[in-house]
Amino acid sequence: MLKENFAALLLRVVRIIVQIGILTIFYYMGVGIVSYLHIPLPGSVIGLLLLALSLIFKIIKVEYIQDGASFLIGILTLFFIPATVGVIDYPELMSMTGLLIILAVIASTLISIYITGLLTQIIEKKELAKKENAETTVEEGKGELSVD
């Protein structure tokens, strides 16, 4: 039993590492495209767009990156610590300019949350309507048998 639990845990850890590797490959593909084409966007944004397109066109399945992405989201706050500590090096950010920057960040965050909520509600309504439509179709065809 202990060996089975250890084997399952080890398999999960390896799966997460491989999935983070897949996400890293997309990041480096974006960096490569930016450096080759001299696009004025960060490589991480291009890599994220490549990943999104790959998911949309079903080149890769969500299951291939789900555990790794969930792990990274779980430790996401750790990535903000260096940026927060770096603010100490710039005391001018604590002046009026800094206050304006903080207000802009707060406003853009609130707008982003609001728009994300609206889009989520729209998508949820469409999915619910699609699900209800599929159930209605199944119920209408109930009892019928056709042979092709």
Side-chain angles (χ1 to χ4, degrees):
M1 174 105 171
L2 184 63
K3 287 183 181 181
E4 292 172 2
N5 288 341
F6 180 73
L9 178 67
L10 186 62
L11 184 62
R12 181 169 166 76
V13 169
V14 169
R15 183 180 17 214
I16 288 172
I17 291 171
V18 169
Q19 291 179 0
I20 290 173
I22 292 170
L23 295 171
T24 305
I25 289 170
F26 276 97
Y27 165 74
Y28 281 115
M29 285 174 24
V31 169
I33 289 171
V34 166
S35 67
Y36 183 73
L37 298 177
H38 305 291
I39 299 172
L41 289 173
S44 57
V45 172
I46 301 297
L48 188 62
L49 289 173
L50 290 173
L51 178 63
L53 290 172
S54 297
L55 290 169
I56 289 169
F57 293 119
K58 301 194 186 323
I59 296 170
I60 65 167
K61 295 181 181 179
V62 174
E63 295 84 26
Y64 295 166
I65 60 167
Q66 189 170 15
D67 291 336
S70 295
F71 174 78
L72 290 175
I73 288 173
I75 62 168
L76 187 65
T77 55
L78 293 176
F79 297 126
F80 291 105
I81 292 173
T84 305
V85 172
V87 171
I88 295 171
D89 291 337
Y90 300 99
E92 64 270 7
L93 289 178
M94 299 304 161
S95 66
M96 185 56 131
T97 306
L99 180 63
L100 292 175
I101 291 172
I102 290 171
L103 289 175
V105 168
I106 291 172
S108 65
T109 301
L110 292 175
I111 291 169
S112 298
I113 291 171
Y114 179 74
I115 291 174
T116 302
L118 288 177
L119 289 175
T120 303
Q121 288 177 350
I122 291 169
I123 292 170
E124 186 177 15
K125 285 179 185 176
K126 285 185 179 181
E127 289 293 323
L128 186 60
K130 187 188 297 183
K131 191 175 187 180
E132 288 176 356
N133 194 10
E135 288 175 359
T136 305
T137 306
V138 169
E139 288 178 10
E140 289 174 359
K142 193 174 184 181
E144 295 180 15
L145 180 63
S146 62
V147 178
D148 291 328

